[in-house]
Every structure is written in C-alpha cells, then in structure tokens.
C-alpha cells in the first residue's frame, strides 16, 4: 500500500510517501518538505507563535494535497517535541485540524525514542546484539537501548540542536560560556545515564537523523549521494578535533562544509556538543550512522499492525 508519513518536526515539516508492505523495506516514492523551525517560533511563554501556527497549518494543507495527488491510501501525521512541549499545544493542533481536517498525533518523548529504535533495529538486524541508539532532533535528544525490537530503556531530553541554538547560542561565545554550556549538557545527559548502563553492555551503538549525519559528513563520512548502504561512522576523536574549529567558524564557513544545510548552520555547534557528550558519557569511541529514523519507525509499526489484522 502507499502511505504518506507526515512528520512535523522541530526544524522541518516533511511528507514522505512510501510504498510499503509486510516483509519488505519501505520504498520511498516521493518527498515533500519545508523548513518550519517550530522550535524557534516559541514566544517567552513557551507557546508556538501565531506565525509558527500559520506556517504549520499551511504546510499541512499542502502536504495533504500532495498525498492525495500521489495516491496515498493512508496518511500517518505526527508531531514531536516542538509541538509536544508548547504551552498552547492543544490550541495549535485544534487549529490545524479545523483548517485542514488533519488530526496530528503528538508523540511522547519515550514513543519517539522507541519508534526510532525500532527503525534502527530493523536496519541493522538481530546481529547487532544489544543496541544503543541516539537521535539529536531540533527540539530533543532521544536515547534508547535494548536487545529486542522494543527497547528496554528509552527516554527523551530537551537537548535538541535548534532548542539549544535558540536558548544558549544567540549571543557570541567566549571560552567560559562555552564551558558552562558543555557542562550543562553533560549534566543533563549523565543524570539518567544509569538507565542504559545498568541494563547491560551494548554490542553496537548507532546514531540517526540530520544532525548526526551532518557531523559524520564533516568528519569524513561518505556523501549521501553514495547511497544508504555505504557504512558511515562518527568517530569521537575526529569530532573532538573539529569542535574548536566549528566554534570559530562564521555562518558562511559552516555552510560551506560538506553535509551542512545553510538553514542549519546555527545548529552545528550545539549538535556537536551534544553528540560529543553522548559518546563521552557512554564511553563510545564511535557511532554508526543509520539512514533510517523516526519516520521509518512509524511506517514499520503501521505495517506490523496491518500484517496482524490481515492474518486469517
């Protein structure tokens, strides 16, 4: 069947049209996305601004038309941390539904981590053993680990690259301020690190989504044009060497780096600090980059549900 997955993220609204059925990998058929930057459209009270709500509603309406044009049998709309954490979340969702007819499901942080883990598990398979997964989004950081398809630990932290850029990097950095930000990030991650560490050692550690892919590309990983089957890693040693250089770069210099979108240059340094902290705290010399992430997890779970209902 043809599914439309509508992902309302903290950075981007993305409709991914896929051909999917049980026993096969979801096959991307069409992609439509726009930069919404909802994590940066928050007012002082933590509400999504009227500008942000209007942009979200307009994008949802366009995505619905695209899904219909591409023959989607079903659409799976969901939102993550920017909408989840907004003080006016219910009002935002009600307006979008009123104006477009689309009812967007808000994923909890734990569900976001769980579904991302499912996608990474299916990508690497059972040979990965006990698997740890890290995902830096625009609004939050998700961490999950386990030996099965459902993680035995999964949690979310408000350490997304866009959120940190807005809260901590709006003003020029000096060494003291950078050190304070780094310390705060590490303290927040380390506070619940025991959830993962106490459950047992991991055999494989993976990272997914745009921030990690960009950092891996900066550190020498193969370009996206080489295809998803090419192995890619983010080595801690390389990342550590790059962070001082990234901090010193202008937005234009950052935009000129391989794998960096001009619209996300301001997120590279905060994302790098979070990635470094994860690898350091969990004693990981490198992370394997997985091309599947939350959207694929949503698709796979839906295919599993359909497969169960189709059984005689």
């Amino acid at each position: 069947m043809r599914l439309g997955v509508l992902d309302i993220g903290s950075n981007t609204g993305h409709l991914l049209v896929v051909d999917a059925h049980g026993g096969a990998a979801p096959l991307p058929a069409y992609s439509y996305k726009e930069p919404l930057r909802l994590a940066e459209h928050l007012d002082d009270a933590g509400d999504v601004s009227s500008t942000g709500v209007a942009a979200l509603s307009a994008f949802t309406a366009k995505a619905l038309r695209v899904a219909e044009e591409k023959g989607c049998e079903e659409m799976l709309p969901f939102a993550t941390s920017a909408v989840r954490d907004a003080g006016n979340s219910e009002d935002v969702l009600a307006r979008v539904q009123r104006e477009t007819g689309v009812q967007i499901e808000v994923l909890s942080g734990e569900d976001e981590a769980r579904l991302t883990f499912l996608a990474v598990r299916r990508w690497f398979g059972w040979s990965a053993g006990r698997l740890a997964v890290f995902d830096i989004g625009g609004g939050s950081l998700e961490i999950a680990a386990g030996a099965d398809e459902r993680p035995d630990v999964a949690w979310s932290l408000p350490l997304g690259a866009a959120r940190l850029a807005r809260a901590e990097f709006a003003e020029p950095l000096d060494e003291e301020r950078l050190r304070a930000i780094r310390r705060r990030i590490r303290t927040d991650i380390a506070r619940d690190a025991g959830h993962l560490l106490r459950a047992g050692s991991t055999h494989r550690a993976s990272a997914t989504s745009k921030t990690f892919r960009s950092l891996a590309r900066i550190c020498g990983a193969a370009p996206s044009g080489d295809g998803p089957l090419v192995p890619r890693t983010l080595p801690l040693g390389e990342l550590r060497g790059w962070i001082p250089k990234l901090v010193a770069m202008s937005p234009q210099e950052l935009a000129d780096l391989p794998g960096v979108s001009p619209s996300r240059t301001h997120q590279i340094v905060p994302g790098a600090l979070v990635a470094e902290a994860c690898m350091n705290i969990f004693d990981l010399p490198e992370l394997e980059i997985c091309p599947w992430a939350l959207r694929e997890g949503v698709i796979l779970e839906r295919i599993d549900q359909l497969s169960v209902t189709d059984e005689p």
Side-chain angles (χ1 to χ4, degrees):
M1 68 184 301
R2 178 158 283 196
L3 297 173
V5 184
L6 183 61
D7 177 0
I8 306 301
S10 299
N11 282 308
T12 306
H14 190 174
L15 172 70
L16 180 64
V17 177
V18 297
D19 293 318
H21 64 270
L27 178 65
Y30 189 79
S31 176
Y32 168 66
K33 56 187 174 182
E34 289 185 6
L36 297 177
R37 296 191 182 179
L38 293 180
E40 298 169 37
H41 279 295
L42 299 175
D43 61 24
D44 293 339
D47 293 347
V48 179
S49 68
S50 57
T51 302
V53 178
L56 172 57
S57 188
F59 170 77
T60 302
K62 292 178 189 174
L64 180 60
R65 290 195 295 272
V66 171
E68 291 172 350
E69 291 168 359
K70 295 301 177 182
C72 291
E73 186 175 339
E74 183 178 342
M75 192 153 81
L76 307 173
F78 66 90
T80 53
S81 63
V83 176
R84 178 172 68 232
D85 298 338
N88 62 339
S89 176
E90 292 185 5
D91 293 337
V92 171
L93 296 173
R95 175 174 167 181
V96 171
Q97 185 172 8
R98 185 170 62 252
E99 295 183 356
T100 69
V102 176
Q103 183 174 359
I104 297 173
E105 177 187 2
V106 177
L107 296 179
S108 68
E110 183 177 339
D111 277 343
E112 194 175 341
R114 176 182 63 81
L115 288 165
T116 301
F117 182 89
L118 172 63
V120 178
R121 165 61 74 193
R122 292 278 177 93
W123 180 266
F124 286 119
W126 295 112
S127 64
R130 180 171 171 79
L131 179 66
V133 175
F134 301 86
D135 179 359
I136 302 171
S140 59
L141 162 70
E142 275 68 50
I143 302 173
D148 299 318
E149 289 206 330
R150 191 177 185 93
D152 46 46
V153 291
W155 73 101
S156 178
L157 294 165
L159 294 175
R163 186 192 295 265
L164 287 172
R166 179 176 180 269
E168 305 285 2
F169 290 79
E171 312 223 347
L173 291 176
D174 57 27
E175 189 172 337
E176 183 177 348
R177 179 163 172 71
L178 183 64
R179 184 177 177 184
I181 294 169
R182 180 181 253 138
R183 183 168 59 246
R184 181 216 147 184
I185 289 170
R186 287 169 180 254
T187 300
D188 287 352
I189 295 171
R191 185 175 295 118
D192 294 318
H195 292 335
L196 190 154
L197 297 172
R198 277 194 295 270
S201 60
T202 57
H203 303 102
R204 200 163 194 164
S206 177
T208 188
S209 294
K210 178 67 174 177
T211 296
F212 274 117
R213 290 198 304 270
S214 296
L215 292 171
R217 182 75 183 96
I218 289 170
C219 292
S224 59
D226 286 0
L229 299 181
V230 176
R232 296 172 175 87
T233 62
L234 175 62
L236 177 57
E238 291 285 336
L239 180 62
R240 278 178 173 159
W242 265 100
I243 286 177
K245 293 184 277 189
L246 296 174
V247 170
M249 286 182 178
S250 68
Q252 184 56 57
E253 289 172 325
L254 290 169
D256 290 338
L257 291 172
V260 178
S261 304
S263 62
R264 296 200 188 203
T265 55
H266 60 304
Q267 299 181 30
I268 288 298
V269 171
L273 294 178
V274 174
E276 180 195 32
C278 288
M279 298 170 77
N280 189 262
I281 288 168
F282 294 102
D283 196 22
L284 301 169
E286 68 176 19
L287 291 168
E288 293 185 72
I289 304 301
C290 178
W292 280 5
L294 177 59
R295 281 187 294 276
E296 286 77 15
V298 170
I299 295 164
L300 292 167
E301 183 172 70
R302 182 58 180 145
I303 294 172
D304 289 349
Q305 292 167 350
L306 292 170
S307 297
V308 169
T309 58
D310 288 343
E311 290 180 358

